[in-house]
Amino acid sequence: MDSVAPLPSSPRLIIDLDAVRTNYQLMAILSGTAKTGAAIKANAYGVGLERVAPVLARAGCASFFCAHLSEAMRARSVLGHEAEIFVLSGVSYGEAPLLRQKFLTPVLSTPEQIQLWREAGDGEPAALHIDTGMNRLGFDWHGFDPAMAEGLNLSLIMSHFACAADPDHAMNKIQLNRFSLIREAFPKVRASLANSAGILHGPETHFGLTRPGIALYGGAPLDTGGPALAPVARIEAPILQVRTLRKGENVGYAASFTAPRNMTIATVAIGYADGLPISASNHGFGRIDGHITPLIGRVSMDLSAFDVSLLPSTPEPGDMLSLLGKDLEALASASDTLSYELLTRLGPRFVRQYKGSSA
Ligand SMILES: *Cc1c(COP(=O)(O)O)cnc(C)c1O
């Protein structure tokens, strides 16, 4: 046997595909009689579109939402021809032939896009995005003329909540009323309003199709409360070095941490190049053997330091520190960001391991 066993030196991202399926099934139950679609934009919220989309399809999902044509083409290549795939950014000049060829459905948001699809869509389905108050993307509900959609083969009209994470927010009811009003002009067309958070508001927001995203990936849809979701993504990062620190010594770039006492710290192979935000500096945390381990000093590109002074036993190089998992929301708020951003920034450098019977 070699005298030195190889130690792990780079972080892994472990994705639990069974957890994705479990979360989808929960969203489908909560969606009641509505069909349950899935937002798989941004590489399925960072966890891997090619692996996640087929799992969702096998769980019964037939409608997928991507942000851009390139994502939708990736989705089509793993989903086969049955799935309905929407492109939220719509259609731009030059994209129509590919959309048609791959049977992708543009979500139209401007008069120009309607015009383009009328001319180049060859009668293939399109969706219509109505902006009911978010003022982001879609036809302004106010003054919207349903005649604009004449000549289109509409398969869906949709809108999006601005404040669904707070079910008591007055915007929710306002947007629901505006959407319901517009919808009266399209009685035969399927309608969709609810994202993950919206699904939790109850049946009147469900219409024919719901569009959960974050909940599928284990992120909490609501600011507070909501159902328990299965954690999907966990980082396992190896300790590269264990150091002792004398009271008054500093840690990391800009010496932003000063030891208040003698300490033991671990330098771990995880940094902002992997998606751990700089804002986690001096605020984030990981776990070693389940014990909370505070992040100290500034997150660097490939490395971060963690205080291991208070652990029951001092870890060694090669031991693993874990991040995210069931701590996804806690790490996001400690880092002054959202689980959405933590997940979608998970870097390409990880070795990704997929587990579960669906893997
Ligand atoms: C991202 C997105 C969703 C999914 O939202 P979650 O909050 O992640 O559930 C639904 N609809 C639209 C239009 C989106 O952009």
Side-chain angles (χ1 to χ4, degrees), residues 1-221:
M1 204 183 115
D2 289 336
S3 56
V4 179
L7 293 177
S9 59
S10 55
R12 291 181 300 171
L13 181 63
I14 297 154
I15 309 291
D16 185 347
L17 293 172
D18 288 349
V20 175
R21 188 187 57 204
T22 301
N23 292 335
Y24 177 81
Q25 286 165 341
L26 178 61
M27 288 298 111
I29 289 168
L30 294 172
S31 294
T33 55
K35 297 262 191 265
T36 307
I40 54 167
K41 58 200 184 183
N43 195 28
Y45 288 45
V47 307
L49 183 155
E50 277 79 4
R51 301 302 295 265
V52 161
V55 171
L56 292 168
R58 284 199 294 277
C61 183
S63 306
F64 295 84
F65 292 84
C66 296
H68 303 302
L69 175 60
S70 58
E71 296 173 343
M73 289 180 51
R74 284 169 58 191
R76 177 61 77 208
S77 69
V78 291
L79 284 171
H81 62 278
E82 291 283 313
E84 175 181 41
I85 303 174
F86 293 97
V87 182
L88 291 165
S89 64
V91 54
S92 73
Y93 204 79
E95 288 180 340
L98 261 179
L99 282 159
R100 260 189 359 247
Q101 190 192 330
K102 301 286 180 187
F103 296 99
L104 305 171
T105 308
V107 181
L108 308 175
S109 298
T110 66
E112 294 76 16
Q113 289 186 349
I114 285 191
Q115 182 64 16
L116 220 162
W117 197 247
R118 231 192 242 116
E119 287 167 7
D122 203 22
E124 290 296 325
L128 209 56
H129 194 163
I130 309 294
D131 191 299
T132 50
M134 191 172 186
N135 282 301
R136 189 178 66 166
L137 190 63
F139 289 93
D140 194 353
W141 73 280
H142 187 258
F144 175 75
D145 179 4
M148 298 232 311
E150 262 167 31
L152 288 175
N153 173 7
L154 274 191
S155 66
L156 184 74
I157 65 163
M158 57 166 277
S159 187
H160 192 55
F161 281 124
C163 304
D166 174 6
D168 296 327
H169 200 291
M171 277 292 286
N172 296 318
K173 191 83 194 153
I174 292 171
Q175 288 191 268
L176 174 61
N177 290 340
R178 290 172 179 171
F179 187 62
S180 302
L181 196 73
I182 299 285
R183 206 199 151 215
E184 283 172 14
F186 303 95
K188 296 212 173 75
V189 178
R190 201 171 31 149
S192 176
L193 176 60
N195 62 344
S196 304
I199 291 170
L200 307 177
H201 295 193
E204 56 180 2
T205 67
H206 294 168
F207 296 94
L209 177 67
T210 60
R211 309 188 305 271
I214 193 72
L216 307 178
Y217 312 105

